[in-house]
Amino acid sequence: MASGDKLDGAQLIDFYRRMLLIRVFEERSAEQYMLGRIRGFLHLYNGEEAIAVGAISSLQPTDYVVTHYRDHGHALAKGMDPNAAMAELFGKATGCSKGKGGSMHLFDLEKRFMGGHAIVGGQLPLSTGFALASKLRGDGDIALCFLGDGAINEGEFHESLNLASLWKLPVLFFVENNLYGMGATVEQMLAFHDEIYKFANGYKIPSVRIDGMDVLKVREATQEAIAHVRGGNGPFLIEAMAYRFRGHSMADPAEYRARSEEERWRMRDPITTFGASLVDGGTATQEELDEIRTEVEEIIDAAVQFAEDSPFPEPEALYDDVYGGM
Amino acid sequence: MAVITYREAVGRALREALQDERVFMMGEDIGRYGGAYAVTRGLLDEFGPERIRETPIAESGFTGAGAGAAMAGMRPIVELMTINFSLLAMDQIINHAAKVRYMSGGQLSCPLIVRTVTGGGASVGATHSQSLEGWFAAVPGIRVAVPSTPHDVLGLFRAAMLQEDPVMFVEHTLLYSTRGEVEDEPYVIPFGRADIKRSGTDITIAAYSRMAVVAMRAAEQLESRGISAEVVDLRTLSPLDSETVVESVRKTGHAVVVEETWYTGGFGATVVGLIQERAFDYLNAPVGRVAGEEVPTPYSRYLEQASIPDEARVIQAVEAALGR
């Protein structure tokens, strides 16, 4: 455990609850997608929950989080109301973005969740901007920027790391390496694929590779990285090894990878393994964990009901929020 | 009233803007070097390296950093050395800055000013001579200003600073040394107000940026031929002041639309479209269009001149529209 991060039982159980909230949100989203209530693209985060929860729980509320299109987990971990998130997926007026954004474009300014951004790599320059604003104002906030292994191939990754390093910007780049960019393996698409975190060193940014399936390891590494970043030492990069249990999106049966590979990773499910460790360590009983699942399911079922009951945006809303006032 | 250059007008506007501590600038060689067009000369010494930030040659990276800082409450001014380089920042401008207000249901805004330089005529070849401002004007969520005089530069830049949305502030490479009067008091030219640069009764010439200057010179020559041309300078492409254009055409009954970029897909087609929709019954002849030749801009001097509209071509189009 990182120095200064003494977690009590209640906090550990809270991590479990937060991960489970994301998992159940995704399970229910998939069901609603199959029912046709959620349309377009739906990219699920199943399997990567330890990253969102371990990393974001280490932040201050005023720190910025920005991410890619697989954004439900990060949004919920940053505190977005599940009702507003689910309603957005339904395209309802009560959604966080009033139904204008959809699954890939969740935003919650009050929580400083600065968006799901659906153009691969596009969130990286924005993250340096959030960090620059904070640095210029001297308000001490940092930016946490999630990206996938696929984004390493984009020029914006390299431009942003360089700028962040040159200007010592308070930004933590967090690579979720889930081994696939849509259907292509990281080996196929990235020449220097086996040690992605070392790309950072080319920009004189310290970096580390960690196990992204273990919430406590993610938390520990993030806290160390944050101490570096908030201390005015410039950016840091974490590469977390992880796996998405489902296809790239709901439209993807993942025929490009072996079921045996999926099974191997599912054995390391970040929620079940963490739950088992809580029981083994005497922090919680299985009954308590079951109760948490029931509570979480109630929250998400209520979110689905809220989304279902909410109105679609009125036609008059079409031209709202294209431009601001003068 | 003082007479200053277009370049000095931009510099003055920037100095004014920098009085607001949320404002800072980013761009390539805007510091020590003073900017590729010498617009930012002296700003580094006056405002320091924290606020006059020289960037690596990474247009998407620093334009996106500007967009992010704007979303986080700052008022950044980004300089893209020429509009041709905006192509390297297109993702940040179109997919991020222009979309974030709408896609966030109005939660976020991106008051980012991107200053850039458009136009040909400087013998710098096809990759450095394009006029792409119309592309941005076609995207909801962005504002586009295209000043033709020092007076308009100052007034429009002040208005740009009041916008809550991304603004492409598009200067013209051949206008920097042109001179003009500016008022001493701090006037603002609101976006969406075209300017009748010259009143006339026989025909309306609608143009913007350097082509508004070309249209003015053409109008002077037309006067000696007994033709009274009204020159409407659009000043902003988004929002577009359709009212002033339509009113002018209703008065004159004839129109020619002039722009520097290519005919196909040019912004002028949009202006012609609104004239036929809203002033058709007032028209005595088809609306004429003058646009750049549909070639990559050539380097060699005389070939390049042949590719860009000039007074002679505007006069020719006016006379054709008037049946002379």
Side-chain angles (χ1 to χ4, degrees):
Chain A
M1 202 61 55
S3 56
D5 189 29
K6 293 193 178 63
L7 295 162
D8 59 30
Q11 284 171 300
L12 294 173
I13 290 170
D14 190 51
F15 292 163
Y16 180 81
R17 183 195 315 273
R18 285 163 185 267
M19 287 196 289
L20 198 59
L21 185 83
I22 296 169
R23 176 67 59 86
V24 175
F25 185 94
E26 299 297 61
E27 287 169 354
R28 294 293 187 273
S29 299
E31 291 167 18
Q32 296 301 313
Y33 188 88
M34 299 309 287
L35 292 169
R37 293 188 181 127
I38 297 173
R39 299 167 62 83
F41 292 135
L42 183 68
H43 307 89
L44 300 179
Y45 194 61
N46 302 41
E48 303 183 51
E49 297 90 344
I51 295 175
V53 172
I56 294 173
S57 69
S58 304
L59 296 175
Q60 297 298 319
T62 52
D63 289 331
Y64 298 93
V65 169
V66 66
T67 186
H68 43 71
Y69 49 81
R70 198 178 304 284
D71 61 349
H72 311 162
H74 305 122
L76 293 171
K78 195 69 166 75
M80 183 180 286
D81 176 4
N83 286 10
M86 188 62 80
E88 187 61 31
L89 270 53
F90 275 58
K92 296 299 183 75
T94 54
C96 62
S97 303
K98 299 180 187 167
K100 299 274 185 66
S103 159
M104 302 191 288
H105 309 119
L106 303 179
F107 291 88
D108 190 338
L109 181 61
E110 200 182 310
K111 303 284 185 190
R112 294 237 165 139
F113 179 72
M114 304 301 276
H117 295 271
I119 305 294
V120 173
Q123 76 276 23
L124 279 115
L126 298 178
S127 74
T128 63
F130 305 145
L132 178 57
S134 173
K135 186 183 166 89
L136 288 171
R137 286 195 292 250
D139 56 17
D141 298 323
I142 69 166
L144 170 56
C145 177
F146 291 101
L147 59 143
D149 46 280
I152 313 288
N153 297 304
E154 292 282 5
E156 289 177 322
F157 171 81
H158 301 274
E159 294 186 18
S160 298
L161 263 66
N162 186 43
L163 203 70
S165 182
L166 285 171
W167 291 355
K168 285 200 181 314
L169 298 179
V171 53
L172 170 54
F173 299 107
F174 203 117
V175 182
E176 298 175 307
N177 183 354
N178 63 19
L179 309 179
Y180 292 88
M182 220 167 136
T185 64
V186 66
E187 287 88 353
Q188 277 176 287
M189 292 303 158
L190 193 55
F192 192 54
H193 58 82
D194 36 9
E195 292 176 304
I196 281 177
Y197 67 104
K198 288 190 176 171
F199 272 106
N201 307 151
Y203 301 102
K204 297 196 171 179
I205 296 174
S207 64
V208 65
R209 168 184 274 176
I210 61 166
D211 176 6
M213 306 298 273
D214 181 332
V215 66
L216 295 182
K217 285 183 179 159
V218 172
R219 168 133 174 145
E220 181 182 353
T222 306
Q223 295 224 323
E224 288 176 7
I226 287 174
H228 173 91
V229 171
R230 217 186 289 281
N233 304 300
F236 197 97
L237 183 142
I238 294 174
E239 177 192 10
M241 304 307 294
Y243 200 77
R244 58 168 155 75
F245 291 164
R246 305 187 62 120
H248 167 70
S249 73
M250 286 297 289
D252 171 23
E255 285 168 355
Y256 43 81
R257 64 188 194 187
R259 295 292 89 91
S260 58
E261 177 186 290
E262 293 179 7
E263 283 314 308
R264 264 202 320 281
W265 279 95
R266 279 181 187 277
M267 299 284 285
R268 303 205 48 231
D269 186 313
I271 299 175
T272 51
T273 54
F274 186 62
S277 78
L278 292 180
V279 173
D280 290 349
T283 306
T285 64
Q286 187 57 48
E287 289 69 34
E288 283 169 329
L289 297 188
D290 292 344
E291 240 171 71
I292 289 171
R293 178 168 256 282
T294 306
E295 284 167 26
V296 163
E297 284 178 345
E298 280 170 7
I299 290 168
I300 301 301
D301 287 341
V304 170
Q305 195 61 50
F306 173 80
E308 180 64 13
D309 293 345
S310 290
F312 283 106
E314 296 295 328
E316 299 80 62
L318 186 61
Y319 279 92
D320 290 350
D321 300 320
V322 179
Y323 295 101
M326 278 287 288
Chain B
M1 209 63 111
V3 175
I4 63 172
T5 65
Y6 190 95
R7 174 181 290 107
E8 288 164 346
V10 182
R12 183 184 292 188
L14 293 172
R15 281 180 175 82
E16 282 181 14
L18 283 157
Q19 301 309 312
D20 181 339
E21 62 183 19
R22 297 171 303 165
V23 175
F24 66 98
M25 291 189 61
M26 291 191 284
E28 293 154 1
D29 276 308
I30 64 168
R32 258 329 133 223
Y33 193 96
Y37 295 88
V39 168
T40 56
R41 192 166 286 166
L43 293 181
L44 177 63
D45 288 338
E46 284 172 59
F47 297 98
E50 284 294 296
R51 300 183 65 202
I52 307 298
R53 307 185 77 92
E54 283 190 52
T55 64
I57 307 165
E59 286 81 3
S60 190
F62 69 76
T63 303
M71 292 173 200
M74 302 296 280
R75 306 286 308 205
I77 301 170
V78 162
E79 176 176 309
L80 285 169
M81 197 180 286
T82 83
I83 203 164
N84 308 280
F85 308 166
S86 74
L87 298 176
L88 292 149
M90 225 39 158
D91 174 50
Q92 288 302 318
I93 299 170
I94 308 286
N95 281 325
H96 295 86
K99 300 288 188 288
V100 74
R101 176 188 298 283
Y102 197 78
M103 286 203 315
S104 69
Q107 293 182 76
L108 274 69
S109 60
C110 186
L112 166 71
I113 295 184
V114 176
R115 281 186 47 241
T116 190
V117 183
T118 193
S123 290
V124 286
T127 60
H128 282 58
S129 303
Q130 299 170 102
S131 301
L132 305 177
E133 55 279 354
W135 293 7
F136 295 97
V139 178
I142 308 180
R143 298 304 195 188
V144 181
V146 281
S148 69
T149 66
H151 173 267
D152 290 356
V153 163
L154 256 182
L156 288 171
F157 201 89
R158 289 169 180 151
M161 289 303 300
L162 301 174
Q163 302 294 311
E164 292 300 323
D165 301 296
V167 174
M168 295 296 291
F169 195 86
V170 184
E171 300 152 24
H172 196 289
T173 179
L174 294 191
L175 292 179
Y176 280 121
S177 297
T178 59
R179 305 175 78 80
E181 286 188 336
V182 297
E183 295 133 57
D184 297 326
E185 61 272 23
Y187 61 95
V188 174
I189 300 172
F191 280 15
R193 298 231 185 120
D195 185 34
I196 297 176
K197 285 274 190 293
R198 179 190 176 104
S199 290
T201 52
D202 297 332
I203 189 164
T204 300
I205 307 176
Y208 68 87
S209 190
R210 181 170 167 267
M211 286 299 121
V213 177
V214 169
M216 288 294 284
R217 291 202 292 254
E220 280 166 32
Q221 295 183 37
L222 286 163
E223 189 174 19
S224 65
R225 301 182 193 198
I227 295 170
S228 169
E230 178 150 299
V231 176
V232 178
D233 183 349
L234 301 176
R235 294 204 294 201
T236 55
L237 303 185
S238 171
L240 175 64
D241 181 2
S242 49
E243 208 54 46
T244 297
V245 175
V246 167
E247 278 308 309
S248 174
V249 175
R250 285 178 176 174
K251 182 179 78 175
T252 64
H254 295 88
V256 166
V257 179
V258 188
E259 65 191 315
E260 186 170 330
T261 195
W262 304 296
Y263 182 94
T264 304
F267 190 80
T270 297
V271 179
V272 173
L274 82 91
I275 291 172
Q276 78 86 19
E277 278 178 13
R278 295 182 49 195
F280 185 80
D281 291 339
Y282 298 81
L283 284 170
N284 299 314
V287 180
R289 259 190 90 191
V290 177
E293 296 299 323
E294 302 215 88
V295 296
T297 308
Y299 160 69
S300 188
R301 183 188 309 177
Y302 301 111
L303 272 183
E304 183 182 33
Q305 284 173 8
S307 76
I308 300 172
D310 58 9
E311 294 92 308
R313 286 189 51 205
V314 175
I315 289 167
Q316 196 179 17
V318 165
E319 290 183 331
L322 291 171
R324 303 216 183 169

